[in-house]
């Protein structure tokens, strides 16, 4: 993809639920059931992704609002992270940004706290958010009675003590 | 469902809890009255031909033939949820599945898996799943004078107020032992009857020898951590997001490992009101 087609990035808006948290932003992707928290720098860049604001203008805004050097690499790092979270309509070119480490080398270690960060989770299913703790079946023992043995491809069952066999087994009732 | 309906049922009840109508039926008289303490807090019988979820209980027991016992079976709709020979295991399965349905479907509430106590006119919310030592910490908070809200859920309304879900506590006297059900009054504590605004959210986990070193969690990270414990995150994401956002913005959110429960409880209660957003 030519870099020119990414001159003015556009944020995704369809199938997203967005909540402002002061300087930060919380986004829920209805399509993928993932939630993302954008820190102040990432949120600033994302808000500017309106199809009219250039990367250099985003860098100037970061400098104005956060007091860090007006470096386009900072804006490109944010855009790469936003793209990885599928929050942009068009992903940036693959080689468009320095890594976090390279950026800190370039701008100084002091910018670490100001770096754009996008934190993501997979939204839990109802049962997973409830009182179910999952373990590897090999860990079914006295300490893990009542936990759910994960059996990919088969039915998950609770770890329980089998008095007939005299040992702990993943043979309890089905768990989520 | 027709096959289940044709089996013959001796008794049934419809009740409402947190706006969700639940139907229970059993193949033997007396089963539903034995459920008592396993029903959700605040349940009340309703006269309704329609329910949001129907649970069917087939009690087993001695078969009459020598050495044979039939399993107890629990169905949620047409799905078999539990098959056991143990009465207590069956009742606990009923309790867990009923409460999960209520937590997922309550129309005007968002349920977050958490322990909650009241202190100084504020709710202290301690999110997290089971086996992280929350119950022991709640018991210690109650012994220190806090008011009991819940060991299971923080129940939030759209205004951000936290409501009680005062199920009896499940306390393990030692690791690996089955939990014992304890009422808050047995610990000398009062049970909350009204909602409170949130005063503190604490993410913590027991680690032997851990030092109490709370750090403030930024709102975005706090909201994600709360969402990970929100029952309706996938089924009602707009309501879930609004609830965790409000909680993360309006109450201080701290994170720290913890050592012994009684010492930690005093530190937690001291933090309510001392830390501001």
């Amino acid at each position: 993809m030519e870099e020119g087609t990414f001159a003015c990035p556009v944020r995704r808006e369809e199938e997203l639920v967005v909540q402002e948290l002061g300087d930060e932003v919380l986004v829920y992707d209805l399509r993928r059931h993932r939630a993302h928290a954008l820190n102040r720098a990432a949120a600033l860049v994302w808000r500017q992704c309106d199809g009219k604001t250039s990367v250099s203008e985003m860098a100037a805004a970061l400098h104005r609002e956060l007091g860090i050097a007006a470096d386009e690499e900072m804006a490109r790092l944010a855009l790469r992270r936003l793209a990885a979270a599928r929050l942009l309509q068009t992903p940036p070119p693959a080689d468009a940004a320095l890594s976090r480490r390279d950026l800190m080398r370039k701008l100084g270690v002091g910018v670490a706290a100001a770096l754009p960060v996008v934190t993501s989770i997979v939204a839990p299913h109802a049962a997973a958010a409830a009182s179910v703790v999952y373990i590897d079946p090999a860990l079914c023992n006295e300490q893990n009675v009542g936990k759910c043995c994960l059996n990919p491809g088969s039915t998950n069952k609770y770890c329980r003590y089998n008095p007939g066999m005299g040992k702990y087994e993943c043979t309890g009732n089905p768990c989520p | 469902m027709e096959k289940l309906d044709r089996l013959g049922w001796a008794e049934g009840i419809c009740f409402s809890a947190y706006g969700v109508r639940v139907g229970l039926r059993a193949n033997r008289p007396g089963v539903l009255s034995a459920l008592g303490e396993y029903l959700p807090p605040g349940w009340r019988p309703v006269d309704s031909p329609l329910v949001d979820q129907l649970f069917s209980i087939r009690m087993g027991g001695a078969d009459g033939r020598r050495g044979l016992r039939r399993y107890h079976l629990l169905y949620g709709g047409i799905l078999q949820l539990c098959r056991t020979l143990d009465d207590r295991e069956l009742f606990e399965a009923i309790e867990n599945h009923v409460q999960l349905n209520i937590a997922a479907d309550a129309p005007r509430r968002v349920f977050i898996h958490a322990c909650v106590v009241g202190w100084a006119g504020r709710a202290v919310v301690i999110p997290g799943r089971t086996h992280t030592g929350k119950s022991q910490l709640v018991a210690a908070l109650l012994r220190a004078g806090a008011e009991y809200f819940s060991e299971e859920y923080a129940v939030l309304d759209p205004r951000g107020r936290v409501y009680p879900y005062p199920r009896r506590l499940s306390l393990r006297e030692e690791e690996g032992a089955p939990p014992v059900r304890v009422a808050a009054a047995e610990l000398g504590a009062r049970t909350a009857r009204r909602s409170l605004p949130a005063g503190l959210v604490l993410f913590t986990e027991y680690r032997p020898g851990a030092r109490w070193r709370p750090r403030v969690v930024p709102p975005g990270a706090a909201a994600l951590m709360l969402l990970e414990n929100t029952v309706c995150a996938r089924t009602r994401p707009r309501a879930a997001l609004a609830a965790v956002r409000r909680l993360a913005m309006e109450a201080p959110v701290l994170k720290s490992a913890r050592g012994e429960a009684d010492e930690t409880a005093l530190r937690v209660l001291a933090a309510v009101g001392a830390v501001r957003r």
Side-chain angles (χ1 to χ4, degrees), chain A:
Chain A
M1 177 170 298
E2 295 178 13
E3 190 166 330
T5 63
F6 198 71
C8 297
V10 182
R11 64 178 172 271
R12 204 184 118 201
E13 290 182 340
E14 72 279 5
E15 296 186 275
L16 294 182
V17 180
V18 180
Q19 292 273 351
E20 300 279 339
L21 284 94
D23 293 331
E24 301 182 359
V25 171
L26 189 64
V27 183
Y28 189 95
D29 187 338
L30 295 168
R31 195 184 294 167
R32 294 178 181 83
H33 290 292
R34 296 182 79 95
H36 312 279
L38 282 56
N39 75 344
R40 190 176 174 197
L44 186 71
V45 170
W46 195 61
R47 289 190 194 102
Q48 308 237 320
C49 291
D50 54 10
K52 302 170 199 169
T53 307
S54 67
V55 175
S56 59
E57 287 170 330
M58 291 179 188
L62 283 170
H63 170 65
R64 215 166 40 239
E65 300 291 330
L66 274 65
I68 53 178
D71 195 305
E72 286 190 16
E73 294 300 334
M74 185 74 87
R76 289 202 176 92
L77 178 62
L79 290 168
R80 192 169 69 172
R81 290 183 167 175
L82 291 168
R86 312 288 183 98
L87 297 178
L88 298 180
Q89 287 193 9
T90 308
D95 59 349
L98 295 175
S99 68
R100 177 178 179 273
R101 184 182 300 176
D102 293 337
L103 203 56
M104 286 173 62
R105 277 201 203 107
K106 182 180 178 186
L107 299 179
V109 176
V111 303
L115 288 176
V117 175
V118 178
T119 309
S120 305
I121 63 163
V122 176
H125 291 278
S131 298
V132 179
V133 176
Y134 294 90
I135 58 169
D136 187 291
L139 296 178
C140 178
N141 53 32
E142 184 179 353
Q143 277 70 46
N144 290 323
V145 167
K147 297 182 184 176
C148 181
C149 302
L150 260 179
N151 284 309
S154 183
T155 305
N156 296 338
K157 294 192 176 181
Y158 284 108
C159 171
R160 62 184 296 180
Y161 181 71
N162 185 336
M165 299 295 289
K167 62 179 182 176
Y168 294 89
E169 298 178 329
C170 295
T171 54
N173 283 302
C175 45

Side-chain angles (χ1 to χ4, degrees), chain A residues 17 19-22 24 26 28 30 33 35 37 119 121-126 128-131 133 142-143 147 160 173, chain B residues 82-83 89 100 113 129-131 152 175-176 218-220 223-224 227-231 233-234 237-238 241-242 245 249:
Chain A
V17 180
Q19 292 273 351
E20 300 279 339
L21 284 94
E24 301 182 359
L26 189 64
Y28 189 95
L30 295 168
H33 290 292
T119 309
I121 63 163
V122 176
H125 291 278
S131 298
V133 176
E142 184 179 353
Q143 277 70 46
K147 297 182 184 176
R160 62 184 296 180
N173 283 302
Chain B
C82 176
R83 177 174 173 265
E89 197 170 313
L100 184 58
H113 190 58
R129 303 179 189 183
T130 192
H131 296 285
E152 193 71 27
E175 187 68 30
L224 281 190
L227 196 67
E228 280 185 306
N229 292 283
T230 302
V231 179
R234 285 203 177 213
R238 285 181 176 81
L241 232 69
R245 174 202 171 273
M249 291 292 290

Side-chain angles (χ1 to χ4, degrees), chain B residues 174-199:
Chain B
E174 51 186 59
E175 187 68 30
V180 176
R181 290 297 184 95
V182 177
E186 294 178 59
L187 300 174
R190 289 177 300 118
T191 297
R193 293 185 183 277
R194 57 187 184 88
S195 63
L196 288 177

Side-chain angles (χ1 to χ4, degrees), chain B residues 71-124:
Chain B
Y71 282 93
H72 306 315
L73 302 174
L74 171 67
Y75 294 88
I78 61 171
L79 191 65
Q80 189 184 103
L81 301 176
C82 176
R83 177 174 173 265
T84 180
L85 295 172
D86 186 90
D87 291 5
R88 176 175 166 165
E89 197 170 313
L90 172 72
F91 284 3
E92 288 180 350
I94 294 167
E95 177 182 40
N96 287 335
H97 285 284
V98 167
Q99 91 177 359
L100 184 58
N101 270 270
I102 289 169
D105 296 337
R108 290 171 298 279
R109 297 286 183 265
V110 171
F111 283 61
I112 296 175
H113 190 58
C115 290
V116 185
V117 299
W119 179 257
R122 298 278 167 170
V124 179

